[in-house]
Amino acid sequence: IIALGTNGGLDQNPIDTILTEIRTLNSTAPIWWVNVANAADNVVAFNDALVAQQDSGKISLINWAGVVD
């Protein structure tokens, strides 16, 4: 389960790099990622990128932003 802070957005939290590092250590582990509940532009882009990763089957998304809304 991955849950990151709200300040960095994609610049500080490169999703592809993080997933590659995890897959290097364990190619079959399920990955659950918690999105961020914040309306800042960089956070919206980050959450959109997480949805794309979920749609491609690379992660399962825990929709914290949806719960908070």
Side-chain angles (χ1 to χ4, degrees), residues 4-61:
L4 300 173
T6 61
N7 295 329
L10 289 169
D11 293 336
Q12 298 294 320
N13 305 295
I15 296 168
D16 288 329
T17 301
I18 294 167
L19 291 176
T20 298
E21 290 180 20
I22 291 170
R23 289 294 173 227
T24 299
L25 298 171
N26 186 326
S27 62
T28 61
I31 299 173
W32 290 84
W33 204 309
V34 181
N35 66 7
V36 180
N38 184 324
D41 289 342
N42 67 332
V43 172
V44 171
F46 183 75
N47 285 347
D48 289 346
L50 289 176
V51 170
Q53 293 289 344
Q54 176 183 250
D55 290 348
S56 71
K58 294 180 181 177
I59 68 168
S60 295
L61 185 62

